[in-house]
Amino acid sequence: MATLPHETNELFITDGGLETSLLFQQGVDLPDFAAFPLLDDGDGRAALRRYYEPYLDIAAAVGVPFVLDTPTWRASLDWGHRAGYEVDDLAAVNGRAVAFVRDLAAARPAVRAVLNGAIGPRGDGYVVGALMTPAEAERYHSLQVRAFADAGADLLSAITMTYVDEAIGIARAARASDLPVVISFTVETDGRLPSGADLGAAVSAVDAATDGYPAYFMVNCAHPSHMAPAFAAGAPWLERVMGVRANASPLSHAELDEAEDLDRGEPAALARDYVALRQILPQLRVVGGCCGTDHEHIEKITAAVLAA
């Protein structure tokens, strides 16, 4: 069993924006922003390997452990159905995703990899849409959670959560499968969730509803300048935020939705933002990227944080 980020004070790195890199840098068609169907095609698997390998090289070069996500952010029931996957097929492809990243890790024995099953929201990553109760969310997401547990994932991360009840449901599903879980919320430019909830209140609510089951919390798919309003210095809940995966661009979610070109921002500036965030978040130990970031961003972020 791999050592997980919340079990040590060591810095972990992870990858950047999988889907934006595949779309804009490799020219891969991703209907509904779904990368998981690539697992069922030889060319698709090759594209995924080309994406992941530079990140693994960075981890090997600097000697830090790597949280290796499955390409399954969209591999849940509704999105899977849109891609033509029935229930059994969808469970199987989530299992194959864990096998795929396990093989990637095996090819880099020098890298200490955490096999992380990635789950996205039922709806859009930027807009709340239809709401579920925690019980409904637990039922909806249990297929992916069980598939990851059965395939031997080390960790599960719920990425780009837009409201509290869905995050609670995923945490409860993970607990039922005895799988450690990370809850990662996204925020708007004012530092609040797309639902309007305060980030600190959201973290506290998930902990209260699950007896503190999440291993830790993250924030992703927002620029550091959008996260800053939420990070009130000295707030006790900041101890629970151990990961950040920021967007390269300071544009809002609405602006990014309308953009026709990829905004990579400035990798060196983003790296400096991470150094500043580490002064605010006392337990920050997982750094990576989200939309618009690639291995250049992660290389610079890793070097800057290690040097700080």
Side-chain angles (χ1 to χ4, degrees), residues 94 128 136 185 238:
N94 277 281
V128 175
E136 289 169 338
F185 288 111
L238 293 178

Side-chain angles (χ1 to χ4, degrees), residues 78-150:
D78 290 356
W79 296 105
H81 180 72
R82 287 171 61 95
Y85 285 72
E86 301 300 331
V87 172
D88 289 346
D89 296 332
L90 193 60
V93 77
N94 277 281
R96 288 197 296 278
V98 176
F100 178 80
V101 295
R102 180 180 290 112
D103 289 345
L104 287 175
R108 295 287 199 288
V111 177
R112 291 168 289 154
V114 174
L115 306 184
N116 182 47
I119 285 183
R122 182 176 188 174
D124 185 89
Y126 291 166
V127 180
V128 175
L131 298 173
M132 293 182 287
T133 66
E136 289 169 338
E138 181 177 356
R139 288 193 296 272
Y140 177 80
H141 289 290
S142 62
L143 179 145
Q144 269 190 292
V145 173
R146 287 196 301 266
F148 293 145
D150 290 345

Side-chain angles (χ1 to χ4, degrees), residues 272-296:
R272 291 192 294 271
D273 288 337
Y274 272 75
V275 173
L277 284 173
R278 217 176 186 207
Q279 303 305 310
I280 300 169
L281 299 172
Q283 299 299 322
L284 180 60
R285 61 193 67 166
V286 181
V287 297
C290 205
C291 296
T293 61
D294 53 46
H295 60 276
E296 181 186 355

Side-chain angles (χ1 to χ4, degrees), residues 18 104 175 237 271:
L18 168 66
L104 287 175
R175 182 170 59 186
W237 64 270

